[in-house]
Structure formats: structure tokens, C-alpha cells
Amino acid sequence: MSETIIEVKDLSKCYRIGRNTSKGDGLRHVLESAVRAPFAWLKPEERKQRARTEDFWAVRDVSVEIKRGEMVGIIGRNGAGKSTLLKLLSRITEPTKGNIRLRGRVASLLEVGTGFHPELTGRENIYLNGAILGMSRVEIKRKFDEIVAFSEIEKFLDTPVKRYSSGMYVRLAFAVAAHLEPEILIVDEVLAVGDAEFQKKCLGKMEDVSQQQGRTVILVSHQMPAIQNLCTRCLLMDKGQLIMQGGTDEIVNSYMTKGAALATEGLVDREDRTGKGNVRITSIDLRDPDGNVIHEAISGHDVVLSLGYETKDGAEVNDCVFCVEVAKDLKNYFSLSSALVDRRPLSVRGRGRIDFLVPNWPLMGGRYHINFYVGSNKGVEDYLNDASVIDAIDGDFYGTGKLHHEGWQGVSVLVKHSWTKHEEG
Amino acid sequence: MNEVTIEAGRAERQYWRDLWRYRELFYFLAWRDILVRYKQTVIGVAWAAFRPLLTVAILTFVFARLGRMVPENYPAPLFIFCGMLPWQFFATAFAESGSSLVSNAGMISKVYFPRLVVPVSSVITSFVDFLISMVIMSGFMIYYQFMPPAAIAMLPVFMLMAFATAFGGGLWISALMVRYRDFRFIVPFVVQLGLYISPVAYDFTRVPEEYRLAYSLNPMVGVISGFRWAILGEPNPYPLSFAISGVVIVLIIVTGVAYFRKTEKTFADVI
């Protein structure tokens, strides 16, 4: 049981980003630069553009060993390199450096329903998807009934999948992949879809695959409970590197506690942001109305969400719009925008901060993610998802000393309200 | 235990073994394309027969009746059918395999399998249409009570040549298309002009002798002449064209496979 099944050594993957790959990858550009190449060095402008192509290391020097029958979770922020690592493991893309030794068949579930054809029926898609994932026809035939039973779509077996609900679609896709019987199963965030009932079933199936059948499962998820339930071991990635590995509880805890600090500290170095960059957000924090930094937002209190900015070379940037989104579990709870509440033109220069005052903080206790967007008259300047996290704690929002009780379903935003009674007759 | 090593550069030493393991995928993808093609159509598979029939009717009218470019000693529709059969196959296979990788982008960026399967399956799909057209043509031959010569035994060789041309061309065009979408515009152009620089609707003897060598560099010239020779017994006025076609086809396949294999590793990154 303790035999090593995956051996990753100094694995790196480099993408070239910038002008050469994003815009000028057409044939014309190739022909053009072939003609121009001998003279390119004469033009300083051309050289500058060339230098703008950057190497981006999506995965850098990752070494890890995974044993047979292990269930390993990979966690980390968006853009930490988790998905790229999975793509490398499942041989979709080639590493730039380093190597991977795989002792067994790999099946990857990077997106459910890959290879499903909307026009084909459920039955036809089971065969097609199975074949794409590497199953033989005989194998699929043997598993067919089991797959159908697991997916609970018997009645719709001969209906084109384009008429399926998204839940049915996901169920069928997962069912095919789960019956693949690979030695190594790679799963990326598939549990984010489907209803709670089916999620539970999938988790059970994965547990079964790993424990009963002694297969190896690698799972990437942002859902910590799923990771904690399933995985015995965890890898924490950040900026393409494997920064920690060990027991799940230990890793998840340190990710959760350090998460907030890590996120804001690393904000300046985040490479997954988009935009021109004439203005950049350098810090995100919570303050009280007097401007003192606080660590938690308390429901019902006046809270200031503060965005620190810096302009490129201290130049002035005109007609700015600053936006912040407060989100949780991929759901956007509310957003703030400097342009929505005010008609004054906003210009910034050098360093500074924009403070958004939120009276009566309307969210219940929990951890929320911050996405931000800065635009100017030139377009998008800086945009980043999952830029930081903020913690909220329950407070006396209604001034009655009462709260929605914990885990109250369906409450997302707290709204001040009152009621009156009118009796008729 | 099959052990796989993934490494930069030589990640796919086991490529051909993988291709064998995924051999059923050729069948499944071709099967999918055929199934999908006639879903939600009213006359369904009848299209496979309708298309060549209509093309032959129009080409016969234009080139045999109006243009008088077809020899008199064969029934004109039959003569044209012999040329159209391999040409239509090549044209569809070339166009379909050209766009095959791009239209299966989702699969390519999410699942591993030898990418070669995708364009080849498109060629296989077109080959099925080709076989249906063959059946229709046999119907024509019965109608005209035309007895094929003994050379008909050589027909499989020319079918193989047609397949090989489509295979090699398909590899090139599909790999190029992944990176340079410009080829989306080049494909219809090649298909359209190819019809005129191949002896589809006229006979080879009309090509002046001094141009025949250059003309034969088009591999479909050898293939189409071969079809006419095997089915109708029409002699090839320039037998060297068979050899030239053979060489060109081998060249296209060898370079096509090499180019495809070279670029294949980055498909998922650039598609």
C-alpha cells in the first residue's frame, strides 16, 4: 500500500505572456517579424515591445511523492498553480522543466462533461465520454448499467443531453468518470456544481475509490470541508510553488489563519491581475470611521473598506472608478463603486487610499473574499479576483440583542426593517 | 505495471503505444461526427447521397454539355463521377480535419489523448461518405451497363492514395489552424481552386504537355487519373504522374506527422 505511485521532481511550467503570445500570434505577425527581424534591433521601440514578453512561471520547482491509495488535497489561492499542476499530471500540457513518473493509468476530471456532445443522447454520450477518458468499448459496456444507476438518469437515457438540466448533466458526467477505474484519479473543483445530495454521493464515491479500491485520488477544491472530510494529506501552493505539505488539518488551518495576512501582504506581487496598471491597488484593509485599522467588521457597525493605491511613476490618472466586491463561495454579496454614489470626477496621483464607508455593516459573521476593479478613462487599470479576505463577526445589527441563529438558511445580507400592525374592523 | 515518465522534450516516448491504446477513439469520434451530422435533419442520411448526385448533375451540365471538355467514349456523368468521387472526399476530409482540433478545443485542453486521433477521425468520417458515394456510382454503372476493366482490381490502391493525401493534408492543416487561425480562410480557397487544378471535370489529355510535370505535383492528379483508369479504363496520358503523386503524398505525410508531433505538445496552451 505504501508504494509510490506519483513522483514529481523539480517540476516547472513556464508560460510566455505579453505581446508575443496575446496579440501578435497570427500568421501575419510571424511573417512580418521574419521580414523585420534582421532590422528589429535598429528600432528601440521594437526592442521595448520585445522585452515586454515575460516569462510567467505557473508552476515552479515542485517536488512531491504520492503513494498508492492516498487521497491528497491541493489548496491555495486562485492563480497559485493548482490547476496547472493538475494539467501537467494529466499530461494535457508539457512541463518546461523537471519530470513526473506515473505508475498507472491517470484519469482527470478537470471539467465535468468534457467531450459531451449536446446533440447526442445520454446513452451515446456515455460511450463517447468513456472513450475519450480512455475506456475501451468492452469496459464501458460492462459498466454501463452501473453508470446509469449512479447518475439517476434512466428515464432520459435516450434524450439528447442538450435537453438535460445542468444537474443531470453533471451527474452523468461524474458517473462516467467515477467508473473509470484508473489507478490515479485527478479531480478539479467538480463539486462546485450539482445539488448537495449529489455532492455527498460524489464524495462518498471518491472515498470508496480511494479506500476500498486502493486508488489514488488528487483533489483540488476551495471547499475546505470537502478537503477535510476526504483527504489525509494536503499540499498548499502559492505563486506556483509548493509552500507546505502535511496532514490536512494542519495545512488547512494554517491556510485559513494565514490566509488573510498572506493575501494582503502578497497583494503587490500578485501576478494574476489584469489591466493597464496605471493605477494599482496596493493594500486592502478594514478601518473604523476614524481611520484606525481594525481586524473584523462587526455586523451593524459602521465600517470603512479602504483601498490603498499607487499610480505608475506618480503620474496623474483621470476619471477613475474604484469598485470593490464582497463575495463568499463564488457568490457576490454586495459591491461598492465610487461612480455609483457620486458624480464628482475622481483623479488620483501618487499614493493614497480610497475609503468606502459602509454604514451598518450588513453581513453576518464569516469570511468573505474581496475582488476589486479600478478603471480610468483609458479602460481597465487593475482588476483582481480573490484579492484579499476579510472577516466579519456577528454583532447586534438590529439593536435588539437578537441575531439570526447560526447557519440560518437563506440569510445573506442583513437589512434594517420595521413593521407595523393595522387592524381592520 | 506501465510506468510513464513525463518530461520536457521527450514526454511522449510512448506515443505510438498510446495511439494503439486509444485506437477505439478513432472509431468513437468518427461515429460521433456521423451521428451528429444527420441529427435534426429531415431527410437524414439521404444527404450523403443527395450531395454527390447534385454535384455530378451540375458538373455534367456545365463541363460536358456546355463546355464539351469530356471525352465522348464514356457516359459523361460516369466520367465526371470518377473524378468527383476522390476529389469530394479529399475536399471534405481536408476541410473537416482542418477545423477538427479547434472545434474540439474543450476536449484538448481538458483531457489527455493522442491528438492525432482528432483529425484522423475527421478523415475517417469523410471516408464513410466516400463509400456511400461509391455505392451510388455503382448504381450509375449498372444504369449505363458499363463493365469495368480488369484494372478495377487496382482501385483499392488509389483509394489508399486518396486516403493518404487527405490524412497528410489534414495533419498539416489542423496543426497549423490551432496556431494560426488564418488558415480558416485558406482552406476554402484551396478546396475551391483545387477543383480547377485537378482533372475532376475535364480529362487530363487537355493539359498541354509542357505543363504536365508541374500539374502532376498536385497529388490528387495521380489519384483521380488512377480512379479513371481503374474504373473506366481511361489510360493516363502521363503515367509518370502516378509516381510523382506517390512521392508527394509520402512527403506530405512524413512532414505532416513530424510537424503535428512537434506542435502537438503545445496545443493545450495555444488553442
Side-chain angles (χ1 to χ4, degrees):
Chain A
M1 280 301 270
S2 58
E3 174 201 351
T4 302
I5 193 161
I6 305 175
E7 212 181 320
V8 177
K9 229 183 194 164
D10 304 323
L11 193 70
S12 300
K13 173 75 186 178
C14 174
Y15 286 103
R16 310 199 69 188
I17 50 170
R19 189 175 180 270
N20 273 2
T21 46
S22 60
K23 263 191 200 162
D25 205 34
L27 184 63
R28 189 181 62 94
H29 184 260
V30 172
L31 298 177
E32 220 177 75
S33 54
V35 175
R36 278 197 206 166
F39 310 109
W41 59 277
L42 287 174
K43 297 181 186 170
E45 195 189 348
E46 197 83 359
R47 269 161 75 193
K48 213 166 136 197
Q49 276 173 340
R50 189 162 286 192
R52 220 183 283 162
T53 315
E54 280 174 56
D55 287 348
F56 170 69
W57 292 89
V59 168
R60 192 161 216 175
D61 299 327
V62 170
S63 298
V64 69
E65 276 184 22
I66 293 171
K67 298 197 186 323
R68 181 174 297 277
E70 258 194 311
M71 193 131 184
V72 179
I74 304 181
I75 56 179
R77 270 193 336 238
N78 283 345
K82 306 180 300 277
S83 296
T84 310
L85 181 60
L86 294 196
K87 278 191 171 185
L88 289 167
L89 285 172
S90 43
R91 301 169 67 191
I92 293 163
T93 182
E94 205 189 42
T96 314
K97 274 195 284 184
N99 63 58
I100 306 169
R101 273 165 199 283
L102 298 170
R103 298 192 179 87
R105 185 157 86 156
V106 179
S108 51
L109 247 182
L110 298 197
E111 199 171 275
V112 282
T114 305
F116 268 27
H117 198 291
E119 298 283 349
L120 297 182
T121 67
R123 183 192 303 277
E124 289 160 348
N125 267 311
I126 291 178
Y127 278 95
L128 179 66
N129 196 230
I132 290 169
L133 294 173
M135 272 198 261
S136 71
R137 203 164 6 149
V138 184
E139 228 178 320
I140 305 171
K141 229 173 228 162
R142 188 156 45 83
K143 291 275 168 69
F144 191 84
D145 293 334
E146 225 178 300
I147 293 174
V148 174
F150 187 86
S151 64
E152 304 163 9
I153 55 135
E154 292 92 339
K155 270 193 257 168
F156 306 97
L157 209 48
D158 293 308
T159 309
V161 297
K162 65 177 173 183
R163 309 215 195 287
Y164 279 26
S165 72
S166 59
M168 285 157 67
Y169 195 87
V170 171
R171 288 211 298 271
L172 183 61
F174 186 86
V176 178
H179 290 83
L180 195 55
E181 299 200 341
E183 275 83 22
I184 304 160
L185 179 65
I186 294 177
V187 183
D188 188 4
E189 212 55 271
V190 275
L191 301 172
V193 279
D195 53 57
E197 189 76 9
F198 190 71
Q199 282 187 11
K200 218 179 266 171
K201 199 167 164 185
C202 294
L203 293 176
K205 179 73 188 173
M206 282 202 273
E207 208 163 7
D208 186 51
V209 162
S210 134
Q211 289 176 357
Q212 309 296 314
Q213 303 173 22
R215 296 173 200 283
T216 306
V217 179
I218 300 176
L219 173 70
V220 163
S221 181
H222 284 114
Q223 290 172 304
M224 292 306 141
I227 296 264
Q228 279 172 309
N229 273 333
L230 287 170
C231 302
T232 45
R233 199 152 73 90
C234 241
L235 313 178
L236 174 58
M237 290 192 68
D238 189 47
K239 288 181 216 145
Q241 282 167 318
L242 182 62
I243 54 171
M244 264 180 108
Q245 53 173 312
T248 302
D249 289 335
E250 177 198 349
I251 301 293
V252 170
N253 278 337
S254 74
Y255 174 60
M256 297 292 267
T257 48
K258 279 187 197 160
L262 263 178
T264 309
E265 265 172 34
L267 191 58
V268 191
D269 304 321
R270 285 283 288 270
E271 282 164 347
D272 49 335
R273 42 172 89 196
T274 44
K276 294 192 176 64
N278 292 320
V279 193
R280 275 172 173 263
I281 298 298
T282 51
S283 67
I284 298 169
D285 40 39
L286 290 174
R287 294 168 190 264
D288 63 18
D290 301 324
N292 306 311
V293 174
I294 53 175
H295 294 289
E296 291 106 1
I298 304 170
S299 342
H301 287 213
D302 294 352
V303 173
V304 171
L305 237 169
S306 168
L307 298 183
Y309 64 77
E310 188 173 1
T311 64
K312 198 189 243 172
D313 307 323
E316 181 159 12
V317 182
N318 295 314
D319 293 330
C320 290
V321 179
F322 286 74
C323 297
V324 195
E325 285 177 354
V326 179
K328 187 178 190 174
D329 299 334
L330 303 173
K331 210 160 57 181
N332 189 3
Y333 277 66
F334 65 81
S335 45
L336 312 171
S337 160
S338 63
L340 274 181
V341 292
D342 214 319
R343 289 179 194 277
R344 281 177 298 166
L346 175 57
S347 298
V348 293
R349 178 206 288 273
R351 302 167 62 107
R353 58 176 218 254
I354 301 288
D355 283 357
F356 285 101
L357 173 66
V358 183
N360 305 317
W361 182 256
L363 297 179
M364 309 218 306
R367 169 157 288 189
Y368 297 87
H369 292 263
I370 302 290
N371 311 323
F372 66 74
Y373 163 88
V374 183
S376 72
N377 51 4
K378 295 196 185 66
V380 182
E381 295 293 354
D382 197 13
Y383 167 65
L384 183 61
N385 271 332
D386 256 341
S388 182
V389 290
I390 53 172
D391 290 315
I393 51 177
D394 287 325
D396 188 9
F397 184 83
Y398 299 106
T400 56
K402 289 185 186 174
L403 288 173
H404 294 284
H405 54 79
E406 209 179 329
W408 182 274
Q409 288 295 307
V411 174
S412 47
V413 179
L414 304 170
V415 177
K416 293 257 181 191
H417 54 280
S418 63
W419 60 275
T420 52
K421 186 170 100 175
H422 302 280
E423 286 189 4
E424 290 176 6
Chain B
M1 176 60 60
N2 58 333
E3 187 177 315
V4 174
T5 306
I6 306 171
E7 207 169 19
R10 50 147 247 198
E12 324 206 6
R13 239 205 286 172
Q14 54 286 331
Y15 190 81
W16 301 106
R17 210 176 61 203
D18 270 353
L19 207 56
W20 176 246
R21 235 193 65 203
Y22 278 88
R23 64 191 180 279
E24 279 185 314
L25 193 54
F26 287 102
Y27 160 78
F28 272 111
L29 286 184
W31 168 78
R32 175 196 70 177
D33 288 344
I34 292 167
L35 267 183
V36 168
R37 177 138 23 126
Y38 301 114
K39 289 234 166 168
Q40 258 190 25
T41 57
V42 178
I43 63 168
V45 196
W47 278 112
F50 197 59
R51 229 166 28 144
L53 277 177
L54 201 66
T55 321
V56 166
I58 290 173
L59 288 184
T60 306
F61 180 71
V62 173
F63 289 92
R65 291 295 290 279
L66 300 183
R68 306 215 167 276
M69 297 170 81
V70 171
E72 305 279 334
N73 34 349
Y74 312 100
L78 208 52
F79 183 86
I80 286 185
F81 216 138
C82 279
M84 215 229 22
L85 204 62
W87 174 255
Q88 190 96 317
F89 163 62
F90 171 77
T92 346
F94 187 68
E96 300 262 315
S97 55
S99 58
S100 63
L101 286 171
V102 175
S103 53
N104 286 301
M107 254 166 69
I108 284 168
S109 55
K110 298 291 178 202
V111 193
Y112 169 80
F113 55 88
R115 275 54 168 119
L116 202 72
V117 177
V118 175
V120 174
S121 299
S122 298
V123 176
I124 294 175
T125 310
S126 314
F127 195 70
V128 172
D129 280 352
F130 169 78
L131 292 178
I132 294 174
S133 301
M134 284 278 275
V135 172
I136 296 170
M137 199 182 68
S138 347
F140 266 64
M141 291 172 77
I142 293 168
Y143 175 79
Y144 286 106
Q145 298 188 327
F146 189 91
M147 189 63 194
I152 191 87
M154 288 295 282
L155 190 62
V157 174
F158 295 109
M159 282 165 65
L160 188 72
M161 274 172 85
F163 193 91
T165 316
F167 170 70
L171 287 186
W172 263 110
I173 199 75
S174 58
L176 283 168
M177 187 92 81
V178 170
R179 201 169 182 101
Y180 311 113
R181 298 290 148 86
D182 308 65
F183 283 89
R184 187 176 289 162
F185 305 102
I186 295 176
V187 169
F189 195 66
V190 169
V191 167
Q192 204 173 22
L193 291 190
L195 181 66
Y196 300 107
I197 58 163
S198 310
V200 176
Y202 54 89
D203 68 86
F204 196 172
T205 46
R206 282 173 196 277
V207 178
E209 283 193 28
E210 64 267 37
Y211 295 128
R212 283 185 184 169
L213 179 67
Y215 186 72
S216 299
L217 286 176
N218 169 6
M220 288 311 286
V221 169
V223 173
I224 293 171
S225 312
F227 269 72
R228 290 239 164 87
W229 175 66
I231 297 172
L232 301 178
E234 156 99 349
N236 183 347
Y238 190 65
L240 190 60
S241 68
F242 289 144
I244 296 174
S245 290
V247 172
V248 171
I249 290 169
V250 169
L251 213 68
I252 293 177
I253 290 184
V254 171
T255 54
V257 170
Y259 182 72
F260 194 91
R261 296 273 291 109
K262 200 185 122 214
T263 49
E264 177 178 39
K265 295 165 202 151
T266 59
F267 280 173
D269 300 333
V270 298
I271 204 160

